[in-house]
């Protein structure tokens, strides 16, 4: 049965042919070109260029998942992921920040109406997130008080809000607790201390610094639980596996980076003549063979990825929860896409030879970014082990897929 609507009061039955998002796609392409032109500056400052941030905000690319009831576009997953991939084709750090903000904007539907309006009511508002419960929350009247530290807060230099994970213990009237439970709180970035920790080999412009909260009060309307799933009556976008979308957004950035690396190599190959050769790099058989194999691998991984996203989206548009098999396939496709993208980027870097080792070459940045992305928990080696256990019929924890 198709979903006739959600808490937003508008039909959630988005047509299969997604023709209504042409302007978003065009905006992503424009921002991709801008991202490529300012990538070097972003690396030096370890944050996205201000002009790029203004364009991303003005074109709504950092809040595509905001629900309609909070004034957002409630964009289908495939369109959001395509936009992140497009921006990453210009610069991986920019695409990554778009992906993180898109994922965070999905929590608009988890918040109460009051909370969603406070966080996302301003169309210029940007939220990012680190949901790992590395801080602690203490219940007080009207909300919680949060203290702790979060690592890898991607995009926090240009964000207004941080969705931050913490552990809270419920206490009964007699003082007995029901045990710790993970929560996510929306905190204004202005109430946090940003520590200058992001000194890395790659993804430098993401500004993924650590953030610290010291006894910060968060009202109840800005406290949510992502592990309990979306609220009753949530639209299809919010029934799509949330953590699966997170993994997919990481993969989208990786795919865009790899496509950009292919672009960069092709541009170099038409003009570069290796030392002692009368032929350009493009005219050499090794280049032709390697590029063709890389293209086949990248296209195949992308097709598998998009199919997994589409299958999960079709399931999310039905009333029943998205089944475990589709969740596992989505996570596998995301991990495979990111790993394949890293391999393709490496191949392009190696084809570039000595030209690729200079800081002026985008290929060296692509290479560093690709191998920084693969360290992310959503696509690391253990994800293959989880998938393998499931395929072998062994007991598998699927709650966080």
């Amino acid at each position: 049965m198709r979903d006739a609507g959600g808490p937003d009061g508008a039909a959630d039955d988005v047509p299969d042919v997604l023709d209504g998002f042409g302007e978003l796609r065009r905006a992503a392409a424009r921002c991709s070109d801008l991202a490529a032109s300012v990538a070097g500056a972003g690396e030096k400052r370890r944050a996205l260029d201000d002009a790029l941030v203004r364009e991303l905000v003005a074109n709504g690319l950092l809040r595509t998942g905001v629900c309609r009831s909070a004034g957002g576009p409630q964009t289908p997953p495939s369109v959001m992921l395509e936009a992140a991939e497009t921006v990453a084709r210009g610069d991986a750090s920019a695409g990554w920040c778009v992906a993180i903000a898109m994922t965070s904007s999905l929590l608009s539907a988890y918040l109460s109406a009051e909370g969603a309006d406070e966080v996302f009511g301003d169309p210029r508002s940007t939220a990012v997130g680190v949901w790992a419960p590395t801080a602690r929350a203490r219940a007080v009247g009207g909300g919680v008080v949060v203290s702790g530290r979060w690592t890898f807060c991607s995009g926090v230099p240009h964000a207004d809000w941080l969705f931050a994970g913490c552990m809270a213990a419920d206490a009964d009237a007699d003082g007995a607790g029901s045990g710790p439970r993970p929560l996510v709180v929306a905190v204004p970035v202005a109430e946090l201390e940003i520590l200058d920790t992001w000194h890395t080999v790659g993804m430098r412009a993401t500004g993924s610094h650590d953030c610290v909260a010291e006894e910060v009060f968060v009202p109840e309307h800005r406290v949510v639980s992502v592990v309990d799933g979306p609220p009753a009556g949530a639209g299809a976008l919010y029934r799509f596996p949330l953590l699966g979308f997170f993994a997919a957004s990481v993969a989208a950035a990786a795919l865009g980076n790899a496509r950009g690396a292919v672009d960069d190599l092709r541009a170099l190959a038409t003009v570069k003549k290796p030392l002692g050769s009368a032929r350009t790099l493009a005219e050499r058989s090794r280049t032709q063979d390697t590029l063709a194999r890389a293209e086949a691998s990248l296209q195949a991984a992308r097709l598998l990825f998009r199919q997994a996203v589409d299958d999960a989206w079709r399931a999310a548009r039905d009333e029943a929860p998205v089944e475990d098999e589709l969740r596992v396939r989505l996570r596998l496709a995301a991990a495979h896409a990111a790993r394949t993208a890293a391999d393709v980027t490496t191949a392009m870097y190696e084809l570039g030879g000595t030209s690729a080792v200079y800081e002026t070459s985008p290929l060296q940045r692509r290479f560093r970014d690709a191998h920084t992305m693969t360290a992310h928990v959503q696509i690391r080696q253990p994800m293959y082990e989880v998938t393998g256990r499931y395929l072998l019929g062994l007991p598998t924890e699927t709650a966080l897929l």
Side-chain angles (χ1 to χ4, degrees), residues 111-256:
L111 290 164
S112 67
E114 181 182 3
D117 182 67
E118 184 177 359
V119 176
F120 294 107
D122 183 341
R124 298 166 299 179
S125 179
T126 298
V128 297
V130 178
W131 303 344
T134 57
R136 62 188 184 278
R138 184 180 78 255
V140 297
V144 296
V145 171
V146 177
S147 294
R149 179 170 175 167
W150 301 274
T151 57
F152 310 120
C153 300
S154 297
V156 74
H158 61 258
D160 303 293
W161 295 87
L162 179 71
F163 280 103
C166 53
M167 294 298 294
D170 288 333
D172 299 329
D174 60 2
S178 59
R181 60 191 178 97
L183 298 174
V184 172
V185 296
V187 184
V189 171
E191 297 182 12
L192 301 172
E193 180 185 5
I194 300 176
L195 304 181
D196 186 8
T197 55
W198 191 242
H199 298 268
T200 57
V201 68
M203 302 298 286
R204 292 174 180 170
T206 61
S208 304
H209 302 291
D210 290 11
C211 287
V212 175
E214 292 288 351
E215 294 289 290
V216 173
F217 173 72
V218 182
E220 186 176 352
H221 63 263
R222 286 198 264 115
V223 179
V224 301
S225 171
V226 298
V227 297
D228 293 336
L237 176 59
Y238 312 103
R239 295 197 301 272
F240 190 93
L242 181 61
L243 294 178
F245 184 92
F246 187 11
S249 73
V250 171
L255 287 168

Side-chain angles (χ1 to χ4, degrees), residues 180-365:
R181 60 191 178 97
L183 298 174
V184 172
V185 296
V187 184
V189 171
E191 297 182 12
L192 301 172
E193 180 185 5
I194 300 176
L195 304 181
D196 186 8
T197 55
W198 191 242
H199 298 268
T200 57
V201 68
M203 302 298 286
R204 292 174 180 170
T206 61
S208 304
H209 302 291
D210 290 11
C211 287
V212 175
E214 292 288 351
E215 294 289 290
V216 173
F217 173 72
V218 182
E220 186 176 352
H221 63 263
R222 286 198 264 115
V223 179
V224 301
S225 171
V226 298
V227 297
D228 293 336
L237 176 59
Y238 312 103
R239 295 197 301 272
F240 190 93
L242 181 61
L243 294 178
F245 184 92
F246 187 11
S249 73
V250 171
L255 287 168
N257 183 57
R259 176 54 61 195
V262 173
D263 294 340
D264 296 336
L265 186 281
R266 290 175 65 184
L268 175 65
T270 59
V271 297
K272 177 179 178 176
K273 291 183 179 180
L275 185 65
S277 175
R279 295 180 298 164
T280 64
L281 194 60
E283 294 171 317
R284 297 171 68 90
S285 59
R286 174 174 174 264
T287 303
Q288 297 157 8
D289 179 85
T290 301
L291 181 62
R293 292 177 185 275
E295 183 66 32
S297 295
L298 188 59
Q299 288 197 36
R302 188 174 187 271
L303 284 171
L304 175 66
F305 172 70
R306 291 183 66 85
Q307 184 63 60
V309 171
D310 289 344
D311 289 346
W313 175 232
R314 278 191 291 269
R317 291 166 64 191
D318 291 331
E319 289 186 346
V322 178
E323 60 188 36
D324 283 351
E325 181 178 350
L326 293 178
R327 293 172 180 265
V328 170
R329 284 170 52 191
L330 177 62
R331 297 301 294 274
L332 176 61
H336 178 67
R339 293 284 169 176
T340 300
D343 291 342
V344 167
T345 305
T346 298
M348 297 304 99
Y349 171 79
E350 292 176 347
L351 280 177
T354 55
S355 297
V357 304
Y358 288 92
E359 288 186 354
T360 54
S361 170
L363 281 170
Q364 53 80 26
R365 187 183 71 251

Side-chain angles (χ1 to χ4, degrees), residues 23-92:
E23 181 50 41
L24 180 66
R25 291 185 169 100
R26 288 187 289 272
R30 292 193 301 269
C31 288
S32 180
D33 291 340
L34 177 57
S37 70
V38 298
E43 278 223 321
K44 287 183 174 62
R45 66 182 300 206
R46 290 176 297 119
L48 295 187
D49 181 82
D50 288 340
L52 175 58
V53 172
R54 286 195 296 270
E55 285 300 305
L56 293 172
V57 171
N59 287 283
L61 282 162
L62 302 180
R63 49 184 287 119
T64 49
V66 174
C67 55
R68 283 190 284 269
S69 61
Q74 202 163 317
T75 311
S78 63
V79 180
M80 284 199 277
L81 295 168
E82 179 187 327
E85 180 183 356
T86 298
V87 175
R89 187 171 183 172
D91 174 47

Side-chain angles (χ1 to χ4, degrees), residues 87-120:
V87 175
R89 187 171 183 172
D91 174 47
S93 288
W96 182 279
C97 287
V98 168
I100 294 299
M102 286 178 169
T103 304
S104 299
S105 70
L106 294 172
L107 294 188
S108 60
Y110 286 67
L111 290 164
S112 67
E114 181 182 3
D117 182 67
E118 184 177 359
V119 176
F120 294 107

